[in-house]
Amino acid sequence: MPKSLKLKTASFVYDLGWKAALPFLHRNERLREGFDRRTLKHSLPPKADVWIQAASAGEAKLATRIMDHISPDKPTRFLLTTNTSQGFSELERTAYRLTPNSRNVSATATYFPFDMPSLATKALKAVNPKLVVLLETEIWPGFLMACKDLGIKVIIINARMTTKSLAGYMTCPSFFKLIAPEEILAISPDDANRFKTLFEIDKVSLMPNIKFDSTATAEIIPYISNPLSSIFKPKTPFIILGSVRKEEESQVLNISVALKKERPKTVIGLFPRHMHRIEAWKKMLNEKGLPWILRSEIENTVPFGHIVLWDVFGEMFSAFSLARAAFIGGSLAPVGGQNFLEPLAYGVTPVIGPFWSNFAWIGNEIFENKLARQAQDWEGVLHELLEISKKTVKPEKVKNHFEAFLEDMRGGTKMACEAINRNLS
């Protein structure tokens, strides 16, 4: 069967599936916002030279960084799209802030249409872009089919793909070869190999992850200037258990009990990821007989040996500047992890568990360089926290090591902008 006929057949079948699903999608609270724009019901997206698709808030921040740095040779209109309300808010702010500027750049933001080939074709004909840019893992079959059918060039930037995703795509390998993009810039050799396996194209190269360009170290807050110095005595032995998710609470409770036994005078800062878990933590700490106090109720200084149950927003960074060690949660249960680069920005070596898929973009180099530590269970986390906290390492040394690491990992934004300009010419 000729390629064009295969695409038309796949497009027709896929379109039917979407038509059947649309009435049910309208009931989805998350998708209901912007539903008319997702279905092109009342209006079409505006004309643009480049269409950048960023799935959600994280990818939208990457799009923002690109828009803040790109300098085309001639006036260039960008259409920025996303699938989520958080992503839309980010892109809308970016588009508004760009007007005016001296870099020949203008932008508008809207929701990405549902991945229905007929909708994608309608949107692409209205926008008439010279180039479509997909960020990270944006493989939309209907949209890619429409781009291929209309002869619109597609590139994927900051590209990443898990082994699990590749296995899913490889259930229909011949189809993905038909809709392959023109160029892919992947963030690791493993990601590059997965994209090569899926699309069977030669134009797959490596780039630094754009996210490292926006990762910054912070000024370590001296004790006398720290807002928390009023409740912490100088040189208080202080360990943070931060961003703790519900799914790992029993394991973090075990760490707290063991820390209390091993280091009776240590103060533990316990930061639940979600404030509605404070009441549950009160009950768990009481059942274990652990001394605790709510952060909001501290009037003098924290007694040694107590757990501070943090029920106040916005103080974790100040806490990092006082801590000797920090565990970052979301990593002792398979929930994706939390950003464990944040303690490093303040000179604190972070410890995580085995689960960090949402931050796999950081790469194993962070552990190979001994900037962060990873353990396979709560007992391993405990061991690492005890090891780190018993050594006297100046925060400035950790911070400087982290800055040197970041210097080698940066440059992704520049390469992304070069790729867009190159494919536009």
Side-chain angles (χ1 to χ4, degrees):
M1 186 184 295
K3 285 185 179 181
S4 59
L5 185 56
K6 284 183 179 179
L7 273 180
K8 288 184 186 303
T9 303
S11 179
F12 177 75
V13 173
Y14 194 54
D15 214 67
L16 286 178
W18 272 98
K19 284 179 181 176
L22 282 179
F24 299 96
L25 294 177
H26 191 266
R27 300 176 191 174
N28 184 293
E29 186 176 345
R30 182 177 65 83
L31 297 176
R32 197 178 300 136
E33 185 169 348
F35 196 85
D36 287 351
R37 278 181 280 184
R38 299 177 198 268
T39 56
L40 310 179
K41 187 175 181 180
H42 297 305
S43 62
L44 294 171
K47 286 191 177 297
D49 302 296
V50 182
W51 182 335
I52 299 181
Q53 161 60 7
S56 57
E59 292 85 355
K61 290 184 184 299
L62 301 184
T64 292
R65 187 159 187 90
I66 290 170
M67 296 308 301
D68 284 344
H69 290 81
I70 196 163
S71 295
D73 293 332
K74 56 186 177 181
T76 304
R77 299 165 297 177
F78 287 79
L79 174 66
L80 311 177
T81 58
T82 184
N83 302 79
T84 68
S85 58
Q86 296 94 334
F88 178 65
S89 296
E90 170 73 22
L91 295 180
E92 198 173 37
R93 285 194 298 270
T94 299
Y96 178 79
R97 187 167 42 78
L98 281 171
T99 307
N101 65 76
S102 58
R103 292 181 290 111
N104 293 320
V105 172
S106 61
T108 53
T110 189
Y111 283 96
F112 189 64
F114 286 125
D115 193 42
M116 187 173 173
S118 57
L119 279 180
T121 299
K122 187 176 180 180
L124 285 163
K125 284 183 175 179
V127 178
N128 194 26
K130 299 173 186 174
L131 176 67
V132 165
V133 180
L134 305 178
L135 294 176
E136 298 213 331
T137 54
E138 289 295 277
I139 300 174
W140 296 98
F143 189 69
L144 287 171
M145 279 190 280
C147 288
K148 190 65 70 174
D149 185 52
L150 295 171
I152 296 170
K153 187 185 290 188
V154 178
I155 64 173
I156 305 179
I157 286 176
N158 223 63
R160 60 186 179 91
M161 183 192 298
T162 64
T163 303
K164 182 178 179 181
S165 295
L166 176 61
Y169 294 136
M170 290 303 289
T171 58
C172 193
S174 60
F175 168 72
F176 285 99
K177 292 172 193 172
L178 293 175
I179 60 171
E182 277 64 37
E183 183 177 358
I184 297 170
L185 282 79
I187 60 173
S188 78
D190 287 342
D191 289 297
N193 286 333
R194 292 182 194 119
F195 277 101
K196 284 181 181 178
T197 300
L198 177 62
F199 290 120
E200 292 192 3
I201 62 172
D202 295 326
K203 215 167 183 182
V204 179
S205 57
L206 295 177
M207 65 173 287
N209 195 315
I210 297 172
K211 290 175 181 175
F212 281 117
D213 289 342
S214 56
T215 300
T217 58
E219 289 297 323
I220 296 170
I221 308 170
Y223 174 79
I224 57 172
S225 304
N226 196 307
L228 299 179
S229 61
S230 61
I231 63 171
F232 279 89
K233 296 175 183 176
K235 298 183 179 180
T236 296
F238 180 40
I239 291 177
I240 289 174
L241 305 177
S243 298
V244 177
R245 302 281 290 271
K246 179 182 178 181
E247 295 85 349
E248 61 191 348
E249 286 176 350
S250 62
Q251 297 179 78
V252 174
L253 184 62
N254 290 338
I255 295 172
S256 302
V257 171
L259 279 175
K260 175 65 178 170
K261 181 180 178 182
E262 293 286 333
R263 303 277 175 83
K265 292 186 178 181
T266 293
V267 173
I268 299 171
L270 181 55
F271 290 77
R273 176 64 179 165
H274 300 112
M275 285 294 178
H276 67 263
R277 298 301 299 167
I278 291 290
E279 292 301 318
W281 269 108
K282 289 179 183 178
K283 183 178 179 182
M284 287 186 283
L285 295 174
N286 285 333
E287 287 174 350
K288 291 293 183 180
L290 295 170
W292 61 274
I293 185 170
L294 285 175
R295 163 65 186 97
S296 61
E297 295 180 357
I298 299 174
E299 295 180 353
N300 297 306
T301 54
V302 180
F304 280 7
H306 274 58
I307 294 173
V308 179
L309 186 52
W310 234 276
D311 62 340
V312 174
F313 283 109
E315 293 188 336
M316 187 178 281
F317 294 159
S318 297
F320 283 145
S321 286
L322 296 173
R324 294 187 180 179
F327 162 72
I328 301 301
S331 60
L332 281 172
V335 292
Q338 300 294 149
N339 188 354
F340 59 92
L341 296 182
E342 290 175 343
L344 281 165
Y346 294 86
V348 178
T349 301
V351 179
I352 65 168
F355 303 103
W356 53 298
S357 59
N358 289 349
F359 294 87
W361 57 269
I362 295 172
N364 285 309
E365 293 88 348
I366 198 87
F367 305 111
E368 294 165 3
N369 281 272
K370 302 188 187 311
L371 278 161
R373 300 193 187 188
Q374 185 183 19
Q376 294 306 306
D377 51 34
W378 73 264
E379 291 172 311
V381 169
L382 171 68
H383 172 76
E384 298 293 349
L385 290 173
L386 291 172
E387 280 291 305
I388 294 168
S389 61
K390 77 179 181 182
K391 298 174 184 177
T392 305
V393 179
K394 290 184 177 181
E396 289 79 7
K397 183 177 180 180
V398 175
K399 181 172 172 285
N400 290 340
H401 189 190
F402 184 42
E403 286 177 341
F405 171 80
L406 288 177
E407 189 64 31
D408 292 336
M409 303 299 284
R410 285 176 172 149
T413 305
K414 181 181 178 183
M415 286 190 67
C417 293
E418 288 172 350
I420 292 171
N421 287 331
R422 179 174 67 249
N423 281 280
L424 265 178
S425 60

